[in-house]
Amino acid sequence: PTISMFYGILVLMFFRDKGVIIYRIFMYLTSDEAFVSIEEGNVIDGNLLPKQLKMVQAWIEIHKEELMVDWELAVNGDEPFRIAPLQ
């Protein structure tokens, strides 16, 4: 599910097989996508333009507690809740 959307960026977090949580950033204007760490805010896989990555990193820093709660929900098989966009 999409947990936030801002400036052409979709943020998704969902549970996959074998206990893996996927946290995906998708740029729907450019079709770029990346998997970004909640803890460090670095790109694990994929590619984002530097400007978009900085916005995502700022958003992560502002909402880190909410993201960790969403992470726990996903681990327990529950749907994560929506988080306010970057403004």
Side-chain angles (χ1 to χ4, degrees):
T2 300
I3 60 171
S4 195
M5 183 175 15
F6 51 91
Y7 303 108
I9 299 170
L10 294 177
V11 181
L12 302 95
M13 180 186 288
F14 55 94
F15 193 72
R16 282 186 52 179
D17 296 337
K18 300 179 184 172
V20 176
I21 299 291
I22 299 299
Y23 176 64
R24 185 172 84 170
I25 309 298
F26 178 70
M27 291 289 303
Y28 63 84
L29 297 176
T30 64
S31 297
D32 290 339
E33 73 175 351
F35 297 92
V36 179
S37 165
I38 294 172
E39 290 295 319
E40 295 86 24
N42 60 320
V43 175
I44 297 167
D45 190 21
N47 189 35
L48 287 177
L49 296 171
K51 180 180 176 182
Q52 282 74 22
L53 179 58
K54 286 181 182 183
M55 285 192 284
V56 168
Q57 289 169 330
W59 179 81
I60 289 170
E61 193 60 36
I62 293 166
H63 298 288
K64 193 169 281 195
E65 283 186 35
E66 294 166 276
L67 285 164
M68 296 310 294
V69 169
D70 268 2
W71 182 274
E72 288 298 320
L73 288 170
V75 166
N76 292 319
D78 297 319
E79 187 168 330
F81 59 86
R82 294 202 43 106
I83 298 175
L86 187 64
Q87 298 182 10

